[in-house]
mmCIF file of all heavy atoms in Angstrom:
data_model
loop_
_atom_site.group_PDB
_atom_site.id
_atom_site.type_symbol
_atom_site.label_atom_id
_atom_site.label_comp_id
_atom_site.label_asym_id
_atom_site.label_seq_id
_atom_site.Cartn_x
_atom_site.Cartn_y
_atom_site.Cartn_z
ATOM 1 N N HIS H 157 -30.217 -25.182 -5.214
ATOM 2 C CA HIS H 157 -30.283 -25.911 -3.943
ATOM 3 C C HIS H 157 -30.640 -24.935 -2.826
ATOM 4 O O HIS H 157 -30.556 -23.715 -2.988
ATOM 5 C CB HIS H 157 -28.976 -26.642 -3.634
ATOM 6 C CG HIS H 157 -27.800 -25.738 -3.367
ATOM 7 N ND1 HIS H 157 -27.621 -25.054 -2.192
ATOM 8 C CD2 HIS H 157 -26.736 -25.403 -4.148
ATOM 9 C CE1 HIS H 157 -26.510 -24.348 -2.238
ATOM 10 N NE2 HIS H 157 -25.951 -24.542 -3.430
ATOM 11 N N SER H 158 -31.032 -25.461 -1.698
ATOM 12 C CA SER H 158 -31.463 -24.647 -0.561
ATOM 13 C C SER H 158 -30.356 -24.540 0.477
ATOM 14 O O SER H 158 -29.345 -25.255 0.419
ATOM 15 C CB SER H 158 -32.693 -25.281 0.089
ATOM 16 O OG SER H 158 -32.342 -26.529 0.668
ATOM 17 N N ILE H 159 -30.561 -23.676 1.450
ATOM 18 C CA ILE H 159 -29.638 -23.581 2.579
ATOM 19 C C ILE H 159 -29.607 -24.897 3.349
ATOM 20 O O ILE H 159 -28.545 -25.366 3.763
ATOM 21 C CB ILE H 159 -30.046 -22.422 3.516
ATOM 22 C CG1 ILE H 159 -29.788 -21.078 2.845
ATOM 23 C CG2 ILE H 159 -29.281 -22.503 4.834
ATOM 24 C CD1 ILE H 159 -30.278 -19.899 3.657
ATOM 25 N N GLN H 160 -30.789 -25.499 3.521
ATOM 26 C CA GLN H 160 -30.867 -26.728 4.314
ATOM 27 C C GLN H 160 -29.995 -27.829 3.724
ATOM 28 O O GLN H 160 -29.390 -28.626 4.460
ATOM 29 C CB GLN H 160 -32.313 -27.214 4.410
ATOM 30 C CG GLN H 160 -32.512 -28.359 5.408
ATOM 31 C CD GLN H 160 -32.070 -27.988 6.817
ATOM 32 O OE1 GLN H 160 -32.419 -26.909 7.319
ATOM 33 N NE2 GLN H 160 -31.290 -28.857 7.449
ATOM 34 N N SER H 161 -29.898 -27.878 2.390
ATOM 35 C CA SER H 161 -29.061 -28.908 1.770
ATOM 36 C C SER H 161 -27.595 -28.733 2.148
ATOM 37 O O SER H 161 -26.838 -29.708 2.218
ATOM 38 C CB SER H 161 -29.231 -28.904 0.256
ATOM 39 O OG SER H 161 -28.746 -27.703 -0.312
ATOM 40 N N VAL H 162 -27.172 -27.490 2.387
ATOM 41 C CA VAL H 162 -25.794 -27.230 2.813
ATOM 42 C C VAL H 162 -25.555 -27.826 4.199
ATOM 43 O O VAL H 162 -24.563 -28.522 4.440
ATOM 44 C CB VAL H 162 -25.499 -25.717 2.828
ATOM 45 C CG1 VAL H 162 -24.097 -25.460 3.394
ATOM 46 C CG2 VAL H 162 -25.632 -25.121 1.436
ATOM 47 N N TYR H 163 -26.493 -27.562 5.112
ATOM 48 C CA TYR H 163 -26.351 -28.092 6.470
ATOM 49 C C TYR H 163 -26.404 -29.620 6.469
ATOM 50 O O TYR H 163 -25.611 -30.285 7.148
ATOM 51 C CB TYR H 163 -27.449 -27.531 7.371
ATOM 52 C CG TYR H 163 -27.240 -26.084 7.737
ATOM 53 C CD1 TYR H 163 -27.984 -25.078 7.143
ATOM 54 C CD2 TYR H 163 -26.291 -25.715 8.687
ATOM 55 C CE1 TYR H 163 -27.792 -23.743 7.478
ATOM 56 C CE2 TYR H 163 -26.083 -24.385 9.040
ATOM 57 C CZ TYR H 163 -26.840 -23.400 8.421
ATOM 58 O OH TYR H 163 -26.646 -22.083 8.748
ATOM 59 N N ASP H 164 -27.341 -30.186 5.714
ATOM 60 C CA ASP H 164 -27.487 -31.642 5.672
ATOM 61 C C ASP H 164 -26.232 -32.307 5.109
ATOM 62 O O ASP H 164 -25.733 -33.295 5.677
ATOM 63 C CB ASP H 164 -28.700 -32.028 4.817
ATOM 64 C CG ASP H 164 -30.022 -31.610 5.445
ATOM 65 O OD1 ASP H 164 -30.038 -31.313 6.657
ATOM 66 O OD2 ASP H 164 -31.034 -31.571 4.717
ATOM 67 N N ALA H 165 -25.726 -31.781 3.985
ATOM 68 C CA ALA H 165 -24.548 -32.376 3.352
ATOM 69 C C ALA H 165 -23.315 -32.237 4.242
ATOM 70 O O ALA H 165 -22.518 -33.173 4.367
ATOM 71 C CB ALA H 165 -24.295 -31.724 1.994
ATOM 72 N N SER H 166 -23.150 -31.084 4.859
ATOM 73 C CA SER H 166 -21.995 -30.847 5.730
ATOM 74 C C SER H 166 -21.991 -31.820 6.900
ATOM 75 O O SER H 166 -20.949 -32.400 7.253
ATOM 76 C CB SER H 166 -21.997 -29.407 6.237
ATOM 77 O OG SER H 166 -21.875 -28.481 5.171
ATOM 78 N N LEU H 167 -23.150 -31.986 7.518
ATOM 79 C CA LEU H 167 -23.261 -32.896 8.659
ATOM 80 C C LEU H 167 -22.935 -34.323 8.247
ATOM 81 O O LEU H 167 -22.216 -35.050 8.956
ATOM 82 C CB LEU H 167 -24.684 -32.820 9.231
ATOM 83 C CG LEU H 167 -24.960 -33.634 10.507
ATOM 84 C CD1 LEU H 167 -24.104 -33.104 11.654
ATOM 85 C CD2 LEU H 167 -26.438 -33.558 10.875
ATOM 86 N N LEU H 168 -23.424 -34.735 7.094
ATOM 87 C CA LEU H 168 -23.209 -36.096 6.620
ATOM 88 C C LEU H 168 -21.738 -36.336 6.281
ATOM 89 O O LEU H 168 -21.168 -37.388 6.616
ATOM 90 C CB LEU H 168 -24.090 -36.346 5.397
ATOM 91 C CG LEU H 168 -24.413 -37.806 5.032
ATOM 92 C CD1 LEU H 168 -25.054 -38.534 6.208
ATOM 93 C CD2 LEU H 168 -25.339 -37.834 3.819
ATOM 94 N N ILE H 169 -21.117 -35.374 5.618
ATOM 95 C CA ILE H 169 -19.695 -35.494 5.265
ATOM 96 C C ILE H 169 -18.835 -35.658 6.517
ATOM 97 O O ILE H 169 -17.953 -36.520 6.581
ATOM 98 C CB ILE H 169 -19.249 -34.265 4.447
ATOM 99 C CG1 ILE H 169 -19.850 -34.333 3.037
ATOM 100 C CG2 ILE H 169 -17.720 -34.178 4.367
ATOM 101 C CD1 ILE H 169 -19.715 -33.046 2.253
ATOM 102 N N LYS H 170 -19.099 -34.855 7.514
ATOM 103 C CA LYS H 170 -18.331 -34.947 8.756
ATOM 104 C C LYS H 170 -18.608 -36.255 9.483
ATOM 105 O O LYS H 170 -17.700 -36.852 10.075
ATOM 106 C CB LYS H 170 -18.646 -33.748 9.643
ATOM 107 C CG LYS H 170 -18.172 -32.420 9.048
ATOM 108 C CD LYS H 170 -18.591 -31.226 9.870
ATOM 109 C CE LYS H 170 -17.758 -31.069 11.116
ATOM 110 N NZ LYS H 170 -18.074 -29.814 11.836
#
Side-chain angles (χ1 to χ4, degrees):
H157 67 76
S158 66
I159 290 175
Q160 189 58 47
S161 66
V162 175
Y163 287 104
D164 293 343
S166 297
L167 184 63
L168 201 56
I169 288 168
K170 294 175 76 174

